[in-house]
Amino acid sequence: MTEHLPALVTLLTILLMFGTAFAVGLARGRYGIQAPATSGHPAFERAFRVQMNTLEATLLFLPTLWLAAHYGFAFWAGIAGLVWIAARTWYALAYLREAARRGGGFALGMVAWMATLLMALAGLGRAMLAG
Amino acid sequence: MTEHLPALVTLLTILLMFGTAFAVGLARGRYGIQAPATSGHPAFERAFRVQMNTLEATLLFLPTLWLAAHYGFAFWAGIAGLVWIAARTWYALAYLREAARRGGGFALGMVAWMATLLMALAGLGRAMLAG
Amino acid sequence: MTEHLPALVTLLTILLMFGTAFAVGLARGRYGIQAPATSGHPAFERAFRVQMNTLEATLLFLPTLWLAAHYGFAFWAGIAGLVWIAARTWYALAYLREAARRGGGFALGMVAWMATLLMALAGLGRAMLAG
């Protein structure tokens, strides 16, 4: 079970990214923003920034999640990953409504990511010292 | 052979992403769009959106491809991956010419991605139930 | 030790991406660019392009790094990876100051990436021929 937790977190991350891309598509339709434009209405621009920021955060998160899992922290990295998913979902939903509300989810996601980063650093350091 | 199919698909995905980045560079030169600008001519803006959308799609695709491969679907995920590569190449070439033509490749790529997603979900679910 | 080199390079890549995201946040504050805007001052726009280009380059780099490592080139891919990290750090710092200075780091990073790509292609080709 523990060994599958990072895989589960990865799938949830993919679904979150898909959700934020879907929100951009909806906003394109609702506000009449024709591709390839990426501006033209504040609500569309928020949806677009949510997608891009989620993508940026995912690129920081997935490699550290898997390094932490590989170097002996599959369970705790998985738990931090579930917190990260919750935080980034909160961030996305809040930012879609109002840019000023994005701080809480962002900060919690950052803490959860930093936890996986510390696990990856600790695990890798331990493995390198052991030869 | 089967076990190497996801690796082959990954390399092709990388080459596709490189191709879309290269197209942006070419369009920068042809239409005189100086970095860091990312707008100024419709053909450049299409090339830029093709690159970004390919990147977004890749971030959804590669993790599901590898989860599906890891959880017992290396061959079928590889086949779906080859379809995805073909679809996303079609999407890129069509969108570079005209934004309205991007639908077909986008839809086929989405179907191929969803096939890898279902394999990843099925494989992971099976593994978690088995303990 | 050798087997851990790609993991170390991956962590350094993550820290580089985090650094470029941090620079965007700093520039948001310094030049008063409110989210979700991504333009409004040349220095902010450079920071934003550095972040996005680093992200794009990372998406080309990490999969080829790991394919090369998996297919028998862990050490040399790791060395190329360290060169890539140095080149992309140079690129980021130079571009933040002036767009015209980004060429050297970009070119060196491209060479280092292509080295990992050739290793991945050679290793995968050898493995496929061997069955």
Side-chain angles (χ1 to χ4, degrees), chain C residues 4-127:
Chain C
H4 303 305
L5 202 48
L8 178 65
V9 168
T10 300
L11 275 181
L12 292 173
T13 303
I14 296 297
L15 294 177
L16 174 63
M17 272 202 290
F18 180 72
T20 66
F22 196 75
V24 171
L26 283 184
R28 263 200 199 287
R30 183 174 302 166
Y31 303 107
I33 316 286
Q34 298 292 322
T38 56
S39 57
H41 188 287
F44 173 81
E45 287 164 31
R46 285 201 305 278
F48 186 68
R49 284 310 306 155
V50 165
Q51 182 194 11
M52 294 310 294
N53 196 285
T54 301
L55 186 154
E56 293 157 24
T58 297
L59 259 172
L60 294 179
F61 173 64
L62 285 184
T64 57
L65 173 75
W66 283 99
L67 286 175
H70 178 71
Y71 284 107
F73 294 94
F75 177 70
W76 288 110
I79 296 298
L82 292 175
V83 173
W84 186 88
I85 294 283
R88 297 298 310 189
T89 305
W90 172 22
Y91 165 90
L93 295 175
Y95 196 167
L96 283 173
R97 254 177 249 156
E98 190 182 336
R101 291 194 198 180
R102 74 193 192 281
F106 186 87
L108 181 59
M110 189 61 72
V111 168
W113 171 66
M114 283 193 169
T116 64
L117 181 64
L118 287 177
M119 290 179 216
L121 282 168
L124 176 60
R126 191 170 56 185

Side-chain angles (χ1 to χ4, degrees), chain A residues 42 45-46 49 52 55-56 59-60 63-64 67 71 95 99 102 110 113-114 117 120-121 124 127-128 131, chain C residues 1 3-5 7-8 10-11 14-15 17-18 21 28 35-38 48 51-52 55 58-59 62 66:
Chain A
E45 287 163 32
R46 286 201 305 277
R49 285 311 307 155
M52 294 312 294
L55 186 154
E56 293 157 25
L59 259 171
L60 294 178
T64 56
L67 286 176
Y71 284 107
Y95 197 167
R102 73 193 192 281
M110 189 61 72
W113 171 66
M114 283 191 168
L117 181 64
L121 283 167
L124 175 60
M128 291 182 94
Chain C
M1 179 65 213
E3 60 181 302
H4 303 305
L5 202 48
L8 178 65
T10 300
L11 275 181
I14 296 297
L15 294 177
M17 272 202 290
F18 180 72
R28 263 200 199 287
T38 56
F48 186 68
Q51 182 194 11
M52 294 310 294
L55 186 154
T58 297
L59 259 172
L62 285 184
W66 283 99

